């Protein structure tokens, strides 16, 4: 499986701050998903993006798929402690590809 | 939404024994299920892809005789860790695919501890 590079690998911020997580690859993806995983649990699907340039919003989370469908970003506005978790991107190219993960910690 | 269950959620076993983990799609039929292993504070590592009615496809470096996968029906896949050793201790997660855009629905995971 090819690798999706996520950055940053770890992010610790205070409540109310904004942040962006990036997911990059040299491969073109037919679709890309973002998940959030809390400790001791399975990942939960947040969003799927399919079209290059697509932007999707989920409350305070904004997801963007790159025009060339090789990268994606997740922007969180006014982060809350409940946003804490491991954020994973996965994409479908010739095979499923997995992100290296971004661990987010939001403190009061 | 699509729900995937795993059983057991936690298991502790002695070295040398075998452990079976079940993954079920509760409200949809999953032609494909995936098995992952996750080490602390790391991302998911794909172990194998399980297709109903056919042999599983294992990722490079994953021993197929060590990690036996059976996908007997469209709602059930099992992973058996044979002759478990302490280094097999990990968090094992399954996922099932439903729909055309490859969205995975994950189970809650199984924490395996081998003594």
């Amino acid at each position: 499986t090819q690798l999706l590079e996520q950055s940053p690998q770890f992010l610790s911020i205070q409540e109310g701050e904004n942040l962006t997580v990036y997911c990059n690859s040299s491969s073109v993806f037919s679709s890309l998903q973002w998940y959030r995983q809390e400790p001791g649990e399975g990942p939960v699907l947040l969003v799927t993006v399919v079209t290059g340039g697509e932007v999707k919003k989920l409350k305070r989370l904004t997801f963007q798929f790159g025009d060339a469908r090789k990268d994606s970003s997740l922007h969180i506005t006014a982060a809350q402690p409940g946003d804490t978790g491991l954020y994973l991107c996965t994409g479908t190219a010739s095979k499923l590809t997995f992100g290296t993960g971004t661990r987010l910690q939001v403190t009061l | 939404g699509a729900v995937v269950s795993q059983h057991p959620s936690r298991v502790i076993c002695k070295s040398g024994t075998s452990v079976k983990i079940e993954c079920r799609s509760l409200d949809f039929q999953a032609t494909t299920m995936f098995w992952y292993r996750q080490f602390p504070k790391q991302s998911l590592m794909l172990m194998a892809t399980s297709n109903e009615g056919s042999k599983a496809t294992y990722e490079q470096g994953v021993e197929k005789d060590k990690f036996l996968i059976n996908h007997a029906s469209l709602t059930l896949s099992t992973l058996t860790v044979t002759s478990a050793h302490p280094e097999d201790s990990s968090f094992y997660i399954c996922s099932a695919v439903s729909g055309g855009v490859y969205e995975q629905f994950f189970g809650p995971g199984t924490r395996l501890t081998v003594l």
Side-chain angles (χ1 to χ4, degrees), chain B residues 81-101:
Chain B
V81 183
T82 62
S83 187
H85 290 284
E87 57 265 32
D88 298 325
S89 298
S90 191
F91 193 53
Y92 292 88
I93 308 176
C94 71
S95 72
V97 175
S98 174
V101 292

Side-chain angles (χ1 to χ4, degrees), chain A residues 1 31 33 35 37 40-45 47-48 50 86 88 90 92 95-96 98-101 103, chain B residues 34 36 38-44 46 57 59 91 93 97 101-109 111:
Chain A
T1 50
S31 70
Q33 291 80 39
Y35 296 82
Q37 183 185 25
E41 300 181 9
V44 175
L45 178 67
V47 78
T48 294
V50 179
L86 177 67
L88 297 161
T90 72
T92 308
K95 291 188 71 172
L96 275 179
F98 308 95
T100 48
R103 191 165 295 278
Chain B
F34 302 93
Y36 297 85
Q38 186 175 33
F39 294 102
K41 298 187 178 182
Q42 292 188 23
S43 184
L44 303 177
L46 179 66
T57 302
E59 294 300 304
F91 193 53
I93 308 176
V97 175
V101 292
Y102 243 66
E103 293 174 342
Q104 297 182 68
F105 296 95
F106 286 86
R111 173 76 57 193

Side-chain angles (χ1 to χ4, degrees), chain A residues 2-56:
Chain A
Q2 301 151 309
L3 203 60
L4 275 165
E5 294 291 334
Q6 285 185 239
S7 61
Q9 292 186 0
F10 181 76
L11 191 57
S12 180
I13 61 172
Q14 290 190 321
E15 183 180 18
E17 291 185 34
N18 301 331
L19 66 118
T20 302
V21 176
Y22 299 93
C23 176
N24 296 293
S25 176
S26 57
S27 300
V28 176
F29 297 99
S30 56
S31 70
L32 189 144
Q33 291 80 39
W34 284 93
Y35 296 82
R36 180 172 64 222
Q37 183 185 25
E38 298 188 22
E41 300 181 9
V44 175
L45 178 67
L46 296 174
V47 78
T48 294
V49 286
V50 179
T51 306
E54 182 177 5
V55 176
K56 282 192 174 180

